[in-house]
């Protein structure tokens, strides 16, 4: 569980092949326009806020307030993956004795009816999170990546070209 990052959780829900490739240090994100936009948005957010991104172990939290752990995303296109990413962060904070609620803020609202979503790490979520982390460990330690699926969302992926190899 110590190797699992928010990015891996996010990729696991988005695409298992992407998760595997990233975990095994096949990094093609430097060529991705969407990744560059995400990094710029984080930099802008940091410059507006007096509180910079917080690093704890192998996770990076966008913002931590008295009540909330806040994750900021460009788009609401894949809320399920972001939800589990936030749950991982809440779990890691809980392990350090810090209890917070989760808050997800989307800059662009496309698919959801609201820009802000709230989440709690309850017993059920925590149990499911630990199961997901075990599944990720099994996936990333496999000798070869899962096969490519070639879905519509793949065209925007930084790893898209790799899937044709």
């Amino acid at each position: 569980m110590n190797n699992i990052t928010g990015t891996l959780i996010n990729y696991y829900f988005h695409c298992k092949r992407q998760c595997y490739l990233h975990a095994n240090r096949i990094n093609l994100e430097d060529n991705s326009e969407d990744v560059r936009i995400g990094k710029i948005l984080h930099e802008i957010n940091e410059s507006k806020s007096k509180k910079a991104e917080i690093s704890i172990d192998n996770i990076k939290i966008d913002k931590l307030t008295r009540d909330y752990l806040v994750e900021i995303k460009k788009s609401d296109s894949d809320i399920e993956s972001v939800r589990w990413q936030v749950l991982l962060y809440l779990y890691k904070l809980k392990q350090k004795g810090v209890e917070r609620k989760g808050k997800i803020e989307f800059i662009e609202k496309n698919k959801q009816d609201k820009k802000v979503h709230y989440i709690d790490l309850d017993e059920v979520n925590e149990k499911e999170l630990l199961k997901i982390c075990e599944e990720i460990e099994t996936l990333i330690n496999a000798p070869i990546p899962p096969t490519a699926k070639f879905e519509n969302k793949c065209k925007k992926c930084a790893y898209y070209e790799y899937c044709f190899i």
Side-chain angles (χ1 to χ4, degrees), residues 23-38:
N24 285 279
R25 305 203 190 294
I26 299 171
N27 189 356
L28 302 174
E29 292 185 334
D30 294 339
N31 301 330
S32 170
E33 186 68 22
D34 285 336
V35 172
R36 277 196 290 276
I37 290 169

Side-chain angles (χ1 to χ4, degrees), residues 63-143:
K63 189 167 36 170
L64 196 60
T65 69
R66 194 169 63 95
D67 298 318
Y68 293 101
L69 176 150
V70 182
E71 180 67 16
I72 301 165
K73 292 292 184 188
K74 175 184 171 262
S75 167
D76 64 358
S77 64
D78 196 359
I79 191 166
E80 188 67 8
S81 62
V82 179
R83 181 176 168 271
W84 286 105
Q85 183 178 356
V86 170
L87 287 168
L88 174 72
Y89 295 167
L90 292 171
Y91 176 81
K92 295 227 178 191
L93 280 181
K94 182 179 174 185
Q95 298 305 304
K96 303 275 185 200
V98 178
E99 302 246 359
R100 293 290 190 281
K101 293 182 180 187
K103 184 177 179 183
I104 304 167
E105 296 178 358
F106 295 107
I107 294 169
E108 294 176 3
K109 181 178 71 74
N110 299 321
K111 296 184 177 183
Q112 302 297 314
D113 58 346
K114 52 190 173 187
K115 280 188 149 184
V116 178
H117 293 258
Y118 297 93
I119 188 164
D120 288 320
L121 178 67
D122 58 23
E123 228 176 275
V124 174
N125 285 337
E126 188 171 330
K127 188 175 179 179
E128 183 67 19
L129 175 68
L130 294 174
K131 182 180 160 215
I132 289 165
C133 287
E134 285 178 22
E135 291 170 6
I136 292 172
E137 289 283 349
T138 300
L139 171 74
I140 65 178
N141 289 314

Side-chain angles (χ1 to χ4, degrees), residues 3-12 14-30 32 35 39 58 60 85 89 136 139-141 144-146 157-160 162-163:
N3 299 337
I4 306 299
T5 64
T7 301
L8 285 179
I9 286 266
N10 195 298
Y11 287 176
Y12 179 77
H14 189 255
C15 171
K16 303 221 179 348
R17 184 174 177 92
Q18 182 184 30
C19 179
Y20 176 92
L21 295 172
H22 183 78
N24 285 279
R25 305 203 190 294
I26 299 171
N27 189 356
L28 302 174
E29 292 185 334
D30 294 339
S32 170
V35 172
K39 287 179 181 180
N58 63 343
K60 291 186 179 182
Q85 183 178 356
Y89 295 167
I136 292 172
L139 171 74
I140 65 178
N141 289 314
I144 59 171
C157 178
Y159 294 87
Y160 182 66
Y162 182 82
C163 291

